[in-house]
Amino acid sequence: MEGPAPAMKRAGKTDGTALAALCMAGAQVSVNVGAALGKTLFASVGPEGVAALRTSIAAILLMAIARPWRAMPSRAQMGWLAVYGLILGSMNLLIYAAFARIPIGVAVAIEICGPLGVVLATSRSLRDFLWLGLAIWGLLLLAPWPGGAMRLDPAGIGFALAAALTWALYILVGKRAAQVKGTTAVALGMTVACCVTLPFGLSAAGGHLLDPSVLGLGIGVALLSSALPYVLEMKALGHLSARVFGVLTSAAPAVAALVGFIILGERLTPAQWLAIALMIAASAGGSLAGRRA
């Protein structure tokens, strides 16, 4: 007969997993509410201005927390952090440019092809071509075919695909950057990222970036899109396997589409919802089938 200790241990593990799943759900909602809030600022400062505000404010917060000057990385590590930050800044500019032209849910569904590609690139199973096929099917449904209902902006799709490429590079380069322990890597990387985005933001919006109303919303975007999701995901990672974490992350396009509808009134066609479902299935399947590494 089983004693109380193993049962209590299993119950504690179950509670921890449930809490981690709630943290992941909270992170998904937070980052997409931040994206929707940022989109409301496009009329004032443009997508470039929002990207500059998000990365600059996040860099200030992270530098204050990490204080990397106490133990600076080596020259080689700084090189990788510079590349990491360059990719991070580019990814922010590209995805906000996509948000300005197509619905948030559609942009996130396309962007998720980046990490899916990284996962499938490590696979050695022919069965995994099924997930690739689902992703391609979803992209074909979103393609701006002539005469299609609610034809999407081709430039928006292009920016989302470019963001997917930078996300894949972010994952690969991030493995090198992660050799710098603690929050130092992300603090220095975000500082480089704001050096990438700030010139574009100043060119597009100039002094409007410092308007109190714009700055206040910019702080909200930075907290919701960067700071809070980072804390929640770090909490979740302590209780979830990498594969389960990947599956939960795969729900991002659906959360983005729902947030876009509720906050921005973005309505999708049935074909676009089907495309999002296919992308989610492809991403979740790839996360489960990919190699543990």
PDB file of all heavy atoms in Angstrom, residues 113 116 130-140 278-279 282:
ATOM      1  N   CYS A 113       6.822  30.180 -37.671  1.00  0.00           N
ATOM      2  CA  CYS A 113       7.567  29.289 -38.582  1.00  0.00           C
ATOM      3  C   CYS A 113       9.061  29.282 -38.253  1.00  0.00           C
ATOM      4  O   CYS A 113       9.754  28.306 -38.556  1.00  0.00           O
ATOM      5  CB  CYS A 113       7.370  29.732 -40.026  1.00  0.00           C
ATOM      6  SG  CYS A 113       5.731  29.441 -40.685  1.00  0.00           S
ATOM      7  N   LEU A 116       9.733  26.776 -35.470  1.00  0.00           N
ATOM      8  CA  LEU A 116       9.360  25.476 -36.027  1.00  0.00           C
ATOM      9  C   LEU A 116      10.443  24.973 -36.970  1.00  0.00           C
ATOM     10  O   LEU A 116      10.807  23.789 -36.945  1.00  0.00           O
ATOM     11  CB  LEU A 116       8.025  25.591 -36.770  1.00  0.00           C
ATOM     12  CG  LEU A 116       7.567  24.352 -37.538  1.00  0.00           C
ATOM     13  CD1 LEU A 116       7.367  23.175 -36.598  1.00  0.00           C
ATOM     14  CD2 LEU A 116       6.288  24.641 -38.317  1.00  0.00           C
ATOM     15  N   LEU A 130       5.303  15.832 -42.065  1.00  0.00           N
ATOM     16  CA  LEU A 130       3.882  16.139 -41.901  1.00  0.00           C
ATOM     17  C   LEU A 130       3.706  17.529 -41.309  1.00  0.00           C
ATOM     18  O   LEU A 130       2.864  18.312 -41.761  1.00  0.00           O
ATOM     19  CB  LEU A 130       3.226  15.088 -40.988  1.00  0.00           C
ATOM     20  CG  LEU A 130       1.810  15.422 -40.475  1.00  0.00           C
ATOM     21  CD1 LEU A 130       0.830  15.490 -41.635  1.00  0.00           C
ATOM     22  CD2 LEU A 130       1.364  14.392 -39.444  1.00  0.00           C
ATOM     23  N   TRP A 131       4.519  17.851 -40.285  1.00  0.00           N
ATOM     24  CA  TRP A 131       4.394  19.173 -39.642  1.00  0.00           C
ATOM     25  C   TRP A 131       4.826  20.270 -40.613  1.00  0.00           C
ATOM     26  O   TRP A 131       4.220  21.337 -40.641  1.00  0.00           O
ATOM     27  CB  TRP A 131       5.242  19.213 -38.373  1.00  0.00           C
ATOM     28  CG  TRP A 131       5.065  18.006 -37.503  1.00  0.00           C
ATOM     29  CD1 TRP A 131       6.019  17.143 -37.066  1.00  0.00           C
ATOM     30  CD2 TRP A 131       3.825  17.502 -36.995  1.00  0.00           C
ATOM     31  NE1 TRP A 131       5.463  16.133 -36.332  1.00  0.00           N
ATOM     32  CE2 TRP A 131       4.122  16.328 -36.260  1.00  0.00           C
ATOM     33  CE3 TRP A 131       2.497  17.917 -37.082  1.00  0.00           C
ATOM     34  CZ2 TRP A 131       3.142  15.593 -35.618  1.00  0.00           C
ATOM     35  CZ3 TRP A 131       1.512  17.173 -36.456  1.00  0.00           C
ATOM     36  CH2 TRP A 131       1.838  16.019 -35.731  1.00  0.00           C
ATOM     37  N   LEU A 132       5.839  19.990 -41.399  1.00  0.00           N
ATOM     38  CA  LEU A 132       6.257  20.953 -42.416  1.00  0.00           C
ATOM     39  C   LEU A 132       5.142  21.169 -43.436  1.00  0.00           C
ATOM     40  O   LEU A 132       4.867  22.303 -43.844  1.00  0.00           O
ATOM     41  CB  LEU A 132       7.526  20.461 -43.110  1.00  0.00           C
ATOM     42  CG  LEU A 132       8.081  21.343 -44.238  1.00  0.00           C
ATOM     43  CD1 LEU A 132       8.438  22.717 -43.713  1.00  0.00           C
ATOM     44  CD2 LEU A 132       9.276  20.671 -44.890  1.00  0.00           C
ATOM     45  N   GLY A 133       4.486  20.080 -43.816  1.00  0.00           N
ATOM     46  CA  GLY A 133       3.386  20.185 -44.764  1.00  0.00           C
ATOM     47  C   GLY A 133       2.232  21.016 -44.223  1.00  0.00           C
ATOM     48  O   GLY A 133       1.634  21.822 -44.948  1.00  0.00           O
ATOM     49  N   LEU A 134       1.909  20.825 -42.934  1.00  0.00           N
ATOM     50  CA  LEU A 134       0.845  21.614 -42.320  1.00  0.00           C
ATOM     51  C   LEU A 134       1.200  23.099 -42.311  1.00  0.00           C
ATOM     52  O   LEU A 134       0.351  23.958 -42.573  1.00  0.00           O
ATOM     53  CB  LEU A 134       0.590  21.133 -40.890  1.00  0.00           C
ATOM     54  CG  LEU A 134      -0.096  19.775 -40.721  1.00  0.00           C
ATOM     55  CD1 LEU A 134      -0.239  19.448 -39.241  1.00  0.00           C
ATOM     56  CD2 LEU A 134      -1.462  19.771 -41.393  1.00  0.00           C
ATOM     57  N   ALA A 135       2.462  23.402 -41.996  1.00  0.00           N
ATOM     58  CA  ALA A 135       2.903  24.798 -41.975  1.00  0.00           C
ATOM     59  C   ALA A 135       2.807  25.425 -43.365  1.00  0.00           C
ATOM     60  O   ALA A 135       2.348  26.565 -43.518  1.00  0.00           O
ATOM     61  CB  ALA A 135       4.330  24.890 -41.439  1.00  0.00           C
ATOM     62  N   ILE A 136       3.230  24.684 -44.380  1.00  0.00           N
ATOM     63  CA  ILE A 136       3.165  25.201 -45.751  1.00  0.00           C
ATOM     64  C   ILE A 136       1.712  25.402 -46.174  1.00  0.00           C
ATOM     65  O   ILE A 136       1.363  26.410 -46.820  1.00  0.00           O
ATOM     66  CB  ILE A 136       3.888  24.244 -46.715  1.00  0.00           C
ATOM     67  CG1 ILE A 136       5.393  24.249 -46.425  1.00  0.00           C
ATOM     68  CG2 ILE A 136       3.627  24.637 -48.163  1.00  0.00           C
ATOM     69  CD1 ILE A 136       6.180  23.221 -47.204  1.00  0.00           C
ATOM     70  N   TRP A 137       0.844  24.468 -45.802  1.00  0.00           N
ATOM     71  CA  TRP A 137      -0.582  24.601 -46.106  1.00  0.00           C
ATOM     72  C   TRP A 137      -1.133  25.882 -45.468  1.00  0.00           C
ATOM     73  O   TRP A 137      -1.874  26.647 -46.111  1.00  0.00           O
ATOM     74  CB  TRP A 137      -1.322  23.373 -45.605  1.00  0.00           C
ATOM     75  CG  TRP A 137      -2.793  23.330 -45.950  1.00  0.00           C
ATOM     76  CD1 TRP A 137      -3.464  24.149 -46.813  1.00  0.00           C
ATOM     77  CD2 TRP A 137      -3.761  22.406 -45.435  1.00  0.00           C
ATOM     78  NE1 TRP A 137      -4.797  23.807 -46.870  1.00  0.00           N
ATOM     79  CE2 TRP A 137      -5.004  22.741 -46.041  1.00  0.00           C
ATOM     80  CE3 TRP A 137      -3.683  21.340 -44.539  1.00  0.00           C
ATOM     81  CZ2 TRP A 137      -6.172  22.035 -45.744  1.00  0.00           C
ATOM     82  CZ3 TRP A 137      -4.855  20.646 -44.260  1.00  0.00           C
ATOM     83  CH2 TRP A 137      -6.076  20.983 -44.855  1.00  0.00           C
ATOM     84  N   GLY A 138      -0.774  26.110 -44.199  1.00  0.00           N
ATOM     85  CA  GLY A 138      -1.230  27.325 -43.528  1.00  0.00           C
ATOM     86  C   GLY A 138      -0.742  28.580 -44.233  1.00  0.00           C
ATOM     87  O   GLY A 138      -1.496  29.549 -44.411  1.00  0.00           O
ATOM     88  N   LEU A 139       0.517  28.588 -44.648  1.00  0.00           N
ATOM     89  CA  LEU A 139       1.063  29.752 -45.352  1.00  0.00           C
ATOM     90  C   LEU A 139       0.350  29.969 -46.687  1.00  0.00           C
ATOM     91  O   LEU A 139       0.095  31.119 -47.082  1.00  0.00           O
ATOM     92  CB  LEU A 139       2.564  29.564 -45.580  1.00  0.00           C
ATOM     93  CG  LEU A 139       3.457  29.702 -44.342  1.00  0.00           C
ATOM     94  CD1 LEU A 139       4.896  29.358 -44.690  1.00  0.00           C
ATOM     95  CD2 LEU A 139       3.373  31.115 -43.760  1.00  0.00           C
ATOM     96  N   LEU A 140       0.024  28.887 -47.381  1.00  0.00           N
ATOM     97  CA  LEU A 140      -0.680  29.018 -48.661  1.00  0.00           C
ATOM     98  C   LEU A 140      -2.066  29.617 -48.461  1.00  0.00           C
ATOM     99  O   LEU A 140      -2.545  30.396 -49.300  1.00  0.00           O
ATOM    100  CB  LEU A 140      -0.776  27.654 -49.348  1.00  0.00           C
ATOM    101  CG  LEU A 140       0.538  27.079 -49.886  1.00  0.00           C
ATOM    102  CD1 LEU A 140       0.329  25.670 -50.428  1.00  0.00           C
ATOM    103  CD2 LEU A 140       1.117  27.981 -50.975  1.00  0.00           C
ATOM    104  N   LEU A 278      -3.704  25.380 -38.396  1.00  0.00           N
ATOM    105  CA  LEU A 278      -2.686  24.529 -39.016  1.00  0.00           C
ATOM    106  C   LEU A 278      -1.295  24.880 -38.507  1.00  0.00           C
ATOM    107  O   LEU A 278      -0.473  23.987 -38.240  1.00  0.00           O
ATOM    108  CB  LEU A 278      -2.737  24.675 -40.538  1.00  0.00           C
ATOM    109  CG  LEU A 278      -3.970  24.087 -41.233  1.00  0.00           C
ATOM    110  CD1 LEU A 278      -4.013  24.511 -42.696  1.00  0.00           C
ATOM    111  CD2 LEU A 278      -3.968  22.566 -41.121  1.00  0.00           C
ATOM    112  N   MET A 279      -1.011  26.185 -38.361  1.00  0.00           N
ATOM    113  CA  MET A 279       0.304  26.603 -37.874  1.00  0.00           C
ATOM    114  C   MET A 279       0.507  26.156 -36.418  1.00  0.00           C
ATOM    115  O   MET A 279       1.601  25.741 -36.030  1.00  0.00           O
ATOM    116  CB  MET A 279       0.448  28.118 -37.988  1.00  0.00           C
ATOM    117  CG  MET A 279       0.259  28.656 -39.397  1.00  0.00           C
ATOM    118  SD  MET A 279       1.444  28.009 -40.577  1.00  0.00           S
ATOM    119  CE  MET A 279       2.887  28.931 -40.132  1.00  0.00           C
ATOM    120  N   ALA A 282       1.177  22.433 -36.493  1.00  0.00           N
ATOM    121  CA  ALA A 282       2.529  22.166 -36.981  1.00  0.00           C
ATOM    122  C   ALA A 282       3.566  22.468 -35.905  1.00  0.00           C
ATOM    123  O   ALA A 282       4.504  21.687 -35.690  1.00  0.00           O
ATOM    124  CB  ALA A 282       2.803  23.005 -38.228  1.00  0.00           C
TER     125      ALA A 282
END
